[in-house]
Amino acid sequence: MDMTSRLVQLNAAYARAIDTEKFEDWPKLFADPCLYKVTTADNVAKGLESGIMYADSRGMLEDRVSALRKANIYERQRYRHIVGLPVVTGEAGGVATTETPFLIVRIMRDGAMAVFATGCYHDRVVADSSGALSFAERVVVCDGGRFDTLVAIPF
Amino acid sequence: MDIRHDTHVEATTTPHGPWPEDSISRVPYWVYQDEATWLRERERVFEGATWNYVCLEADIPEKGDYRTTHVGAMPVVVVRAADGTINAFENRCAHRGALIAFDDSGNVGNQFKCIYHAWSYDLAGNLKGIAFERGIAGVGGMPADFKREEHGPRKLRTTTLCGLVFATLSPDTPPIEDYLGPEILARVRRVLNRPIRVMGRFTQPLPNNWKLYVENVKDTYHASLLHLFFATFRITRLTQAGGVLVSADGAHHASYTIGSADAPGASAYREQGLRSENDDYKLADPSLLDSVEEFGDHIQLQILSIFPGVILQQIHNCLAVRQVVPRGTDAMDLHWTYFGFADDSPEMNKRRLKQQNLVGPAGFVSMEDGCVGGFVQRGIAAAGDKVSVVEMGGRTAESQATRATESSVRGFWKAWRRHMGY
């Protein structure tokens, strides 16, 4: 399978884990250590490093999942990811640098369906010895900077 | 206007009759719903004798650097002048009322120019140029008796405190040091003790009246009850040493937690069977909570509010300014600016990045404050004539050596009623 097809599969698995609320599968798509961050295009343009979510290990991703399962209180909601086609912008030393656009619709408890976020995944993807791909880095660069009410579920 | 420091609020009539029991421990729900009250707040609170946070000095370091923001409903430009001082004026062209600056920030050099008809303003907001003021070939143009100096956007006075920039429309607002009082002032200086470094900005639109968020911030009682994450990881618990400082006029507060969570009384949460006590819940990567003492006083957590709408937050090494911008009776924007210090080591920078998971729109702790105000706004939909009960820790608004109190919430209502004349 060519690289683009493998990346499409990886992104499909990523979206499916979140949208079907199999959140425990989500950290498994990352290498360990890794970088996962949710930020905005404006922060990236200004060189500002913070994220509304920030994890540098698979353990921190698992903690995001356990928090939304066990600790945090929020109104029932889920996401529908629409993920575009990945573009490979570079490949060196077994690391593919890719960009993939996304759109997230948030479905609220009361049935409202509205665009919650759009943006681009800026990824560094690696393959293990079996050839399986995972994210060494996924920086979620949101197009805008307004996050309505709260963000419990990862993007 | 003098700031009155007595605890009694003069009984006056509101559009809905007398204030319930004339008490700061009763809050009628119409205050979160009423359009007339929102109009009065704009005039008497935000455009009144208050200092409104508008930006950080670090946001506009160079001459001509500006940011746009709001004071209540009023759009405002804040700009660094040639002499290094900071000016603020209404973001409204004197001609036809268009925004003078329509981006979030930037650098304008020497002048602002309205894009509609190219009227221009200096960095103090003075009207300086009018396109075709004398017409074309002697025809058209402004009347000969038009005086530019009589036209211009409203100007605000500015002041700075430890890198925070505030603006006021009122000539009566006292100096910021007097406005805050010595206790709160010391708590601002404690955190903002050296040059800061902005690390990121995010906006969280909230589906509730702005006062519900400010009350939530001042409400030390809820923090470790609503937020399981706080209590479980011993970031703050009511059983820890700490307290709440309330300024003499009630307007401002600083709550704080000192030292270890495993103090006497640490079992109180389990004994009360509270949801926020959950021993089964462990972090897979506890590096999130790897904090270091950086202020030398064992205060692990300090939440400070300055009336009407800014919060300075220190949760371990996670520092942020939160600006409350109302958007009518039932919506507001919360603008988060995460910061560190200019002299942070790479390790401290990483520590802050990780601890920022606690706050903001996706904060392990703060996310619940994002929805709880909306739950109140929806819960009171048919209860404008009913009241909430604010009696934890008594019925007055003084500093207390416990956080199992709503003293600083009552302080807010004491100040709000005074400004509103209710």
Side-chain angles (χ1 to χ4, degrees):
Chain A
M1 209 185 329
D2 69 2
M3 187 61 180
T4 299
S5 301
R6 293 163 71 202
L7 287 168
V8 167
Q9 284 203 339
L10 177 66
N11 280 316
Y14 182 98
R16 187 165 187 267
I18 295 171
D19 294 355
T20 61
E21 300 178 313
K22 294 184 173 67
F23 300 122
E24 285 71 15
D25 290 345
W26 171 69
K28 297 173 188 164
L29 298 168
F30 287 80
D32 192 21
C34 60
L35 174 68
Y36 173 76
K37 180 165 79 171
V38 179
T39 184
T40 70
D42 192 54
N43 281 320
V44 171
K46 291 186 165 72
L48 302 178
E49 204 180 349
S50 293
I52 59 168
M53 293 188 185
Y54 184 98
D56 66 357
S57 70
R58 198 185 277 172
M60 286 188 79
L61 298 172
E62 290 166 359
D63 291 334
R64 270 284 162 194
V65 175
S66 62
L68 76 86
R69 291 276 197 218
K70 297 177 191 165
N72 288 128
I73 302 298
Y74 53 96
E75 207 162 2
R76 190 157 47 79
Q77 55 189 268
R78 57 190 174 83
Y79 293 165
R80 174 67 61 198
H81 279 73
I82 303 297
V83 180
L85 290 176
V87 172
V88 179
T89 56
E91 242 177 318
V95 181
T97 310
T98 74
E99 293 180 12
T100 308
F102 68 88
L103 179 151
I104 298 171
V105 173
R106 181 176 58 173
I107 303 97
M108 291 301 294
R109 177 197 56 81
D110 69 356
M113 299 168 280
V115 173
F116 188 42
T118 72
C120 190
Y121 294 122
H122 290 233
D123 301 328
R124 290 164 56 80
V125 178
V126 294
D128 67 15
S129 52
S130 72
L133 298 183
S134 63
F135 297 109
E137 194 172 307
R138 167 152 274 193
V139 178
V140 184
V141 182
C142 297
D143 291 324
R146 294 173 66 83
F147 298 92
D148 179 59
T149 308
L150 60 81
V151 181
I153 302 167
F155 283 175
Chain B
M1 188 178 73
D2 292 335
I3 293 200
R4 298 209 327 252
H5 286 177
D6 55 329
T7 47
H8 178 71
V9 178
E10 210 170 289
T12 45
T13 293
T14 76
H16 302 264
W19 190 271
E21 301 176 31
D22 191 25
S23 168
I24 54 175
S25 64
R26 291 289 181 277
V27 181
Y29 290 128
W30 56 258
V31 299
Y32 311 109
Q33 302 168 326
D34 189 44
E35 283 291 337
T37 294
W38 162 231
L39 292 174
R40 192 174 170 97
E41 276 177 340
R42 286 162 54 176
E43 177 194 330
R44 298 186 64 127
V45 175
F46 296 99
E47 298 173 27
T50 58
W51 283 115
N52 295 272
Y53 169 84
V54 287
C55 69
L56 295 167
E57 282 204 75
D59 290 330
I60 49 171
E62 307 294 334
K63 177 199 165 189
D65 284 350
Y66 75 90
R67 278 194 80 78
T68 56
T69 183
H70 289 83
V71 169
M74 180 194 291
V76 168
V77 179
V78 191
V79 61
R80 179 81 66 172
D83 63 359
T85 59
I86 294 171
N87 296 324
F89 51 88
E90 188 173 14
N91 190 1
R92 173 182 58 86
C93 182
H95 177 216
R96 298 286 295 164
L99 292 173
I100 295 167
F102 53 83
D103 211 342
D104 298 330
S105 63
N107 186 292
V108 287
N110 292 317
Q111 64 170 5
F112 288 92
K113 188 175 279 190
C114 177
I115 49 109
Y116 201 172
H117 303 89
W119 286 31
S120 60
Y121 299 87
D122 67 14
L123 299 187
N126 298 306
L127 176 60
K128 286 297 188 184
I130 294 178
F132 300 116
E133 187 170 13
R134 298 283 158 253
I136 294 169
V139 181
M142 299 295 284
D145 62 353
F146 180 81
K147 293 189 175 60
R148 271 184 271 171
E149 59 276 17
E150 290 177 0
H151 297 264
R154 283 183 283 179
K155 292 178 183 173
L156 295 90
R157 283 193 295 140
T158 66
T159 192
T160 61
L161 176 66
C162 303
L164 307 171
V165 183
F166 297 87
T168 185
L169 268 166
S170 170
D172 301 323
T173 316
I176 188 77
E177 293 80 4
D178 299 342
Y179 182 75
L180 294 178
E183 283 186 315
I184 304 298
L185 185 63
R187 293 304 180 121
V188 175
R189 289 182 168 148
R190 168 187 169 269
V191 175
L192 297 174
N193 60 6
R194 56 195 194 277
I196 67 161
R197 172 177 66 94
V198 173
M199 296 180 68
R201 294 188 190 88
F202 302 94
T203 298
Q204 190 177 8
L206 300 182
N208 54 259
N209 185 275
W210 69 277
K211 297 185 290 300
L212 286 169
Y213 184 76
V214 175
E215 286 184 281
N216 171 273
V217 163
K218 287 174 175 276
D219 169 5
T220 50
Y221 174 34
H222 88 282
S224 57
L225 298 172
L226 173 63
H227 307 306
L228 184 148
F229 209 89
F230 254 162
T232 301
F233 298 109
R234 311 291 200 268
I235 297 171
T236 184
R237 297 163 64 104
L238 292 174
T239 45
Q240 281 174 267
V244 58
L245 303 172
V246 183
S247 64
D249 64 350
H252 325 293
H253 100 292
S255 61
Y256 58 97
T257 303
I258 299 173
S260 165
D262 297 319
S267 62
Y269 280 77
R270 188 170 308 117
E271 287 158 7
Q272 297 216 6
L274 296 172
R275 178 184 60 78
S276 49
E277 170 76 24
N278 184 347
D279 280 344
D280 300 334
Y281 186 27
K282 301 277 187 291
L283 285 181
D285 184 345
S287 68
L288 174 73
L289 301 175
D290 164 33
S291 61
V292 296
E293 168 89 44
E294 68 174 315
F295 299 102
D297 56 9
H298 307 297
I299 294 178
Q300 296 193 341
L301 180 149
Q302 177 183 291
I303 306 292
L304 184 152
S305 69
I306 298 175
F307 190 88
V310 70
I311 296 99
L312 172 65
Q313 161 224 302
Q314 175 229 333
I315 301 174
H316 290 210
N317 307 113
C318 174
L319 311 175
V321 173
R322 314 177 193 167
Q323 181 192 16
V324 173
V325 174
R327 294 175 73 97
T329 56
D330 58 0
M332 57 162 278
D333 284 346
L334 185 62
H335 296 286
W336 292 84
T337 303
Y338 299 173
F339 68 92
F341 294 110
D343 61 2
D344 282 345
S345 67
E347 294 74 26
M348 184 59 100
N349 184 56
K350 189 59 160 297
R351 191 175 287 121
R352 296 198 203 284
L353 289 169
K354 289 191 179 194
Q355 292 182 21
Q356 284 161 3
N357 278 296
L358 296 171
V359 302
F364 285 131
V365 175
S366 297
M367 76 166 74
E368 286 137 358
D369 297 324
C371 65
V372 78
F375 293 165
V376 176
Q377 194 82 36
R378 283 149 59 186
I380 63 174
D385 61 343
K386 303 291 189 295
V387 299
S388 69
V389 175
V390 192
E391 283 192 25
M392 279 298 283
R395 299 192 180 93
T396 54
E398 73 287 354
S399 297
Q400 296 188 0
T402 176
R403 287 155 300 137
T405 178
E406 293 168 319
S407 186
S408 51
V409 178
R410 288 187 290 276
F412 175 84
W413 291 106
K414 182 177 159 186
W416 187 86
R417 288 182 62 192
R418 179 170 51 76
H419 282 279
M420 293 290 281
Y422 280 174

